[in-house]
Amino acid sequence: MKRAIYPGSFDPVTNGHLDVVERARKLFDEVIVAVAHNDEKQPLFSLKERLNLLQQTVGKIDNVRIAQFDGLLVEFALQQKANAVLRGLRAVSDFEFEFQMALMNRKLEGNVETIFLMPKEEYTYLSSRLVKEIARLGGDVSKFVPSLVASALGKKFKG
Ligand code: ADP
């Protein structure tokens, strides 16, 4: 059984994340989308809201499961019997941080491999941060996120 963890904040899930999940689920028997608990980034959506949005979008896909985790990612991976951690790589700007994280995780646990997937070109500029910024300023985010997420963003910034 080849199982991979796709960790992140998912605040909120975007079409870029969905693209990565779609690619990953063809390579692995099971993909666990894991929402980070101990988020220092002060998320817009609560953990529960982020899990809900994921559940209603990617959670319905056959070999995809949604989970939450806190503590060390590699420990969570071992606990779930996963042999890979998936990360999306958009641009060179993602590389340095991801490179550091991947090598540090390898030092901590040599049996978990980090795998990078590149999204469709049209998603390479897409981030949860930008989507939130556009929504906050009243822009249309419907091309960047599932409709459910677009309306959740609308509600957050209404009034
Ligand atoms: P984190 O806070 O851990 O970076 P994110 O939710 O922002 O969490 O992203 C989770 C993962 O998804 C990261 O590997 C990130 O690079 C990747 N990702 C985010 N947006 C995209 C996108 N548009 N295309 C491909 N990968 C993406």
Side-chain angles (χ1 to χ4, degrees), residues 64-127:
V64 178
R65 182 149 63 84
I66 313 300
Q68 52 177 292
F69 76 102
D70 50 15
L72 279 180
L73 174 63
V74 284
E75 294 207 342
F76 178 70
L78 287 181
Q79 214 181 70
Q80 298 292 318
K81 299 193 175 21
N83 38 11
V85 165
L86 299 169
R87 297 287 289 172
L89 262 194
R90 285 163 291 192
V92 181
S93 52
D94 277 341
F95 182 79
E96 187 154 347
F97 174 71
E98 294 295 342
F99 179 70
Q100 255 187 8
M101 285 284 291
L103 291 184
M104 182 53 85
N105 281 336
R106 179 182 284 169
K107 272 267 182 279
L108 294 172
E109 176 49 63
N111 291 319
V112 178
E113 206 64 60
T114 303
I115 294 178
F116 296 102
L117 292 173
M118 279 176 286
K120 238 189 237 166
E121 295 90 271
E122 63 199 87
Y123 298 140
T124 51
Y125 57 87
L126 185 53
S127 69

Side-chain angles (χ1 to χ4, degrees), residues 51-60 148:
L51 287 166
N52 254 329
L53 291 174
L54 278 166
Q55 196 61 52
Q56 292 176 70
T57 48
V58 288
K60 294 199 179 104
L148 190 84

Side-chain angles (χ1 to χ4, degrees), residues 5 29-32 47 64 77 87 93 96 98 102 127 141 156-158:
I5 309 274
D29 298 310
E30 186 177 48
V31 174
I32 303 175
L47 178 68
V64 178
R87 297 287 289 172
S93 52
E96 187 154 347
E98 294 295 342
S127 69
V141 294
K156 281 276 177 204
F157 293 113
K158 199 168 57 186

